Amino acid sequence: MEAPSYYPAMSDSGPRGPSTRGIPEGDNRERMICAECGFVLYDNPKIVVGSVARWGDRVLLCRRSINPRRGFWTLPAGYLELHETTAEGARREAREEALAEIELEGVLAVYSIPRLSQVQVMYRARLVSPSIAAGPESEAVALFGWDEIPWNELAFPSVRWALNDFHASRGAADFAARGNPPGELGNY
Amino acid sequence: MEAPSYYPAMSDSGPRGPSTRGIPEGDNRERMICAECGFVLYDNPKIVVGSVARWGDRVLLCRRSINPRRGFWTLPAGYLELHETTAEGARREAREEALAEIELEGVLAVYSIPRLSQVQVMYRARLVSPSIAAGPESEAVALFGWDEIPWNELAFPSVRWALNDFHASRGAADFAARGNPPGELGNY
C-alpha cells in the first residue's frame, strides 16, 4: 500500500501532526509530539506478512505494478492490518496480489529490516489450485521453477532470502523458521 | 511498557490528536484523523518479542511489577523498538526484565492476538548463565521446572501457549515454529 496524501489539507503547508521531537513524561525515549495539541505518536515497527506458495515444483511470484521497485518480481506480501492474524494476512495478500488461494504449511522465516523498522513473517504455502491472475498491485504473476527464477529482477533482498529458505525447506516436515542470512540487514 | 500520560497537557481535556474517523483520500479504510490539523494516524499492529529461556531443565519466568496483570508470572517479552531486529529485541527484553543474558536457539512461535492487533514473535533460548535478577518491570524472577510452573498465576494465555510449545520443542534440532493453539485468540 502506498501512503496516500494527507487529508484534509488544512493549510498551505499541510498538516504538521506530531512533528516535534521530545521525551514524554514517564518515558525514556524520544517520540514525535504534536506541538499544537500535545498528542504523542508512539511509532512502532511494521509487520509484513507473506508467503512462498508452491504449485508442484514451481513457486508463485508477482511483478510489481507499483513503486517502490515497479517491474521487479516479488512474493505476495504486504502490511498486516489491524485486528488480523498473521495467517489471515498472508492469505489475504496472496488473494489481493495474485488472486490466489493458498494453504499455509508453517512459518518459513521471520526477517528483520531494521533500517525500515520492518519485521516480515513469511509462511511456507501451497496453492490450492494453479489459478492465478494479477491483482491491482501486480502487472504479472507467474509460477517459476527453481531454475527459472529471475534472480536479477527480484524486488527486494528478502525475496531472495525467502526463495532460498523455501528451497532449503522442500520436503522437510519440521522446518525450523529462518532469520536473516548472517550479516544481511536487507540493504541494497 | 506502560503508555505514559500525554505530554504536554495543553488544555483541561488534554490533547485530542487524531480522534476523528474518516477515510483519507486515496485510501480504502477508515483511519483516525486529527480534526485540528488533518494529520492521519496510520495505526499498525504491534510486535511483541520475547523468549522462553532455559537453564538446564528449568525455564525463566518474571513476576510482573506493573499492570496489566501485576503480580502474575510472564515470560521476558515486550514491544519491539524502532530499528531493532526481533532477535535484538528478545535479548534486550531478557536483559531488562530479568537482568539475564540469553542465546537464541530459533523461533519458537508466532502468535497473533487480533483483539489487541498484536503479533508475538517468541524464541527458544538458553540462559548464558544462571545469574538472573528482577528488573524494574519485575517484582521477582525465577527458574521453574516443568512441574513447578504456576499455571494458575500466569499473566496471559500466550504465556501458557509458549510454555507448552517450548516443552514440545525440547530436544528437537529442527522445530517448526508454532502458531496459536487451534481456536485460541488470546482472550481470557
Side-chain angles (χ1 to χ4, degrees), chain A residues 4 7 15 37-38 42 83 112 114 117, chain B residues 4 7 15 37-38 42 83 86 112 114 117:
Chain A
Y7 165 88
C37 77
Y42 282 91
H83 305 298
S112 296
S117 293
Chain B
Y7 164 86
C37 77
Y42 282 91
H83 305 298
T86 51
S112 296
S117 293

Side-chain angles (χ1 to χ4, degrees), chain A residues 111-114 118-119 180 184-185, chain B residues 49 80-92 123:
Chain A
Y111 303 128
S112 296
I113 319 288
Q118 194 179 91
V119 172
N180 293 24
E184 292 205 42
L185 292 173
Chain B
V49 288
L80 185 67
E81 288 285 351
L82 290 174
H83 305 298
E84 191 177 49
T85 68
T86 51
E88 288 165 355
R91 286 190 294 260
R92 175 181 52 73
Y123 286 89

Side-chain angles (χ1 to χ4, degrees), chain A residues 157-180:
Chain A
S158 57
V159 175
R160 173 170 49 80
W161 306 346
L163 289 169
N164 280 316
D165 288 342
F166 185 79
H167 195 58
S169 81
R170 282 184 203 267
D174 281 334
F175 182 73
R178 298 283 179 97
N180 293 24

Side-chain angles (χ1 to χ4, degrees), chain A residues 26-48:
Chain A
D27 199 348
N28 56 12
R29 288 179 192 247
E30 269 197 348
R31 313 285 176 181
M32 296 308 286
I33 300 170
C34 179
E36 287 170 60
C37 77
F39 174 76
V40 179
L41 178 62
Y42 282 91
D43 200 9
N44 295 295
K46 290 184 179 53
I47 307 174
V48 165

Side-chain angles (χ1 to χ4, degrees), chain A residues 1-8 10 14-18 22-29 31 33-47 79-88 92 96 106-107 110-119 121 123 173-180 185, chain B residues 1-8 10 14-18 22-29 31 33-47 79-88 92 96 106-107 110-119 121 123 173-180 185:
Chain A
M1 197 198 70
E2 294 284 274
S5 55
Y6 288 131
Y7 165 88
M10 297 293 278
R16 282 181 295 275
I23 299 178
E25 204 181 322
D27 199 348
N28 56 12
R29 288 179 192 247
R31 313 285 176 181
I33 300 170
C34 179
E36 287 170 60
C37 77
F39 174 76
V40 179
L41 178 62
Y42 282 91
D43 200 9
N44 295 295
K46 290 184 179 53
I47 307 174
Y79 290 118
L80 185 68
E81 289 286 351
L82 290 174
H83 305 298
E84 192 177 46
T85 69
T86 52
E88 287 166 354
R92 174 182 52 75
E96 287 180 1
V107 179
V110 178
Y111 303 128
S112 296
I113 319 288
R115 175 178 54 92
L116 303 176
S117 293
Q118 194 179 91
V119 172
V121 176
Y123 286 88
D174 281 334
F175 182 73
R178 298 283 179 97
N180 293 24
L185 292 173
Chain B
M1 197 197 70
E2 294 285 272
S5 55
Y6 288 130
Y7 164 86
M10 299 291 279
R16 281 181 296 274
I23 299 178
E25 204 180 322
D27 199 351
N28 57 10
R29 285 178 193 248
R31 313 286 175 179
I33 300 170
C34 180
E36 287 171 60
C37 77
F39 174 78
V40 179
L41 178 62
Y42 282 91
D43 200 8
N44 295 295
K46 291 184 179 53
I47 309 173
Y79 289 119
L80 185 67
E81 288 285 351
L82 290 174
H83 305 298
E84 191 177 49
T85 68
T86 51
E88 288 165 355
R92 175 181 52 73
E96 286 180 3
V107 179
V110 178
Y111 303 128
S112 296
I113 319 288
R115 175 178 53 93
L116 303 175
S117 293
Q118 194 180 90
V119 172
V121 176
Y123 286 89
D174 280 333
F175 182 74
R178 300 282 180 98
N180 295 23
L185 293 172

Side-chain angles (χ1 to χ4, degrees), chain B residues 146-162:
Chain B
W146 181 248
D147 296 334
E148 301 163 346
I149 289 171
W151 296 103
N152 294 323
E153 293 166 48
L154 299 182
F156 309 109
S158 58
V159 174
R160 172 171 49 80
W161 304 346

